[in-house]
């Protein structure tokens, strides 16, 4: 298998196959379903990942990480309307903590994708307040630039451009704020 594909992809495929086998052995164990959903997600098999995550939500409806991931998958597969409920449910549990950042970013993206830029601003800005330098910083600033420009608010858009330059001034690596 490894001679036919990149090593990282090979590992991801192996993990997927192992998780698929685990789910077959324990079909009612939600962690097996989650592991397979993550493997499918890593292989960009988003529709399969969404289906598995929907099944996991049916098993554990109060799980904020499952709902956040399902919302993310819906946004990535062009179904932002379906993402809203799951992202908001996740945020109802995590409130204003660092754990909320991915759900906030994808909630903002969902509103943007639904053509509601005014509603996208608040969750995106909130995510940057919670985590000014993190895994979602670059993406969040880019979406905010787009959203502010769509709203005709050029000054905040320019502020986010400048902040990106400030943060990623040296070899694309985040710098201290």
């Amino acid at each position: 298998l490894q001679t036919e594909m990149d090593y990282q992809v090979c590992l991801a495929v192996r993990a997927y196959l192992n998780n698929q086998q685990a789910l077959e052995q324990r079909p009612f164990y939600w962690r097996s379903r989650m592991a397979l959903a993550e493997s499918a997600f890593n292989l960009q098999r988003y529709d399969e990942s969404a289906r598995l995550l929907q099944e996991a939500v049916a098993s554990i409806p109060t799980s904020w990480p499952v709902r956040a991931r399902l919302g993310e998958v819906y946004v990535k597969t062009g179904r932002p309307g379906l993402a809203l409920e799951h992202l908001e449910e996740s945020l109802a549990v995590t409130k204003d903590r660092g754990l909320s950042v991915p759900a906030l970013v994808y909630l903002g993206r969902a509103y943007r994708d639904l053509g509601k830029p005014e509603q996208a601003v608040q969750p995106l800005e909130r995510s940057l307040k919670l985590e000014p330098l993190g895994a979602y910083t670059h993406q969040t600033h880019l979406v905010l630039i787009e959203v502010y420009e769509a709203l005709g608010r050029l000054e905040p858009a320019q502020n986010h451009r400048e902040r990106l330059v400030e943060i990623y001034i040296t070899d694309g690596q985040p710098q201290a704020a």
Side-chain angles (χ1 to χ4, degrees):
L1 188 62
Q2 185 180 348
T3 58
E4 300 169 17
M5 64 181 74
D6 176 66
Y7 182 68
Q8 295 298 323
V9 174
C10 180
L11 290 176
V13 169
R14 282 237 185 263
Y16 175 85
L17 294 173
N18 289 338
N19 288 325
Q20 193 173 45
Q21 183 178 20
L23 183 61
E24 288 168 6
Q25 292 171 355
R26 297 183 77 184
F28 300 109
Y29 185 51
W30 70 270
R31 288 187 191 273
S32 297
R33 192 166 309 284
M34 281 298 301
L36 184 56
E38 287 299 315
S39 291
F41 184 88
N42 291 337
L43 291 171
Q44 298 178 359
R45 298 176 72 161
Y46 297 128
D47 289 333
E48 180 180 0
S49 182
R51 180 184 55 78
L52 291 162
L53 289 166
Q54 288 167 345
E55 293 169 4
V57 164
S59 298
I60 45 170
T62 58
S63 175
W64 65 265
V66 176
R67 286 188 173 275
R69 183 59 118 185
L70 181 55
E72 177 182 352
V73 170
Y74 280 145
V75 170
K76 286 186 172 184
T77 57
R79 299 178 278 183
L82 295 175
L84 296 178
E85 174 191 350
H86 297 289
L87 295 168
E88 288 168 357
E89 287 283 333
S90 176
L91 290 167
V93 174
T94 59
K95 309 278 186 228
D96 270 344
R97 293 183 292 192
L99 300 169
S100 302
V101 171
L104 287 167
V105 170
Y106 283 99
L107 183 62
R109 285 183 54 184
Y111 281 125
R112 178 210 53 194
D113 294 351
L114 288 168
K116 299 179 178 183
E118 64 285 342
Q119 290 178 274
V121 170
Q122 192 266 346
L124 293 167
E125 291 286 7
R126 216 165 103 209
S127 76
L128 288 175
K129 281 187 176 68
L130 290 173
E131 192 174 272
L133 289 173
Y136 295 91
T137 302
H138 185 256
Q139 173 188 163
T140 304
H141 281 292
L142 291 174
V143 175
L144 277 164
I145 291 165
E146 180 184 333
V147 165
Y148 280 127
E149 287 177 347
L151 292 169
R153 296 174 59 193
L154 302 182
E155 186 175 334
Q158 184 58 32
N159 291 342
H160 283 283
R161 263 193 205 85
E162 290 170 5
R163 184 67 182 130
L164 270 179
V165 170
E166 218 175 275
I167 293 170
Y168 295 97
I169 200 148
T170 310
D171 299 322
Q173 299 300 314
Q175 303 298 308

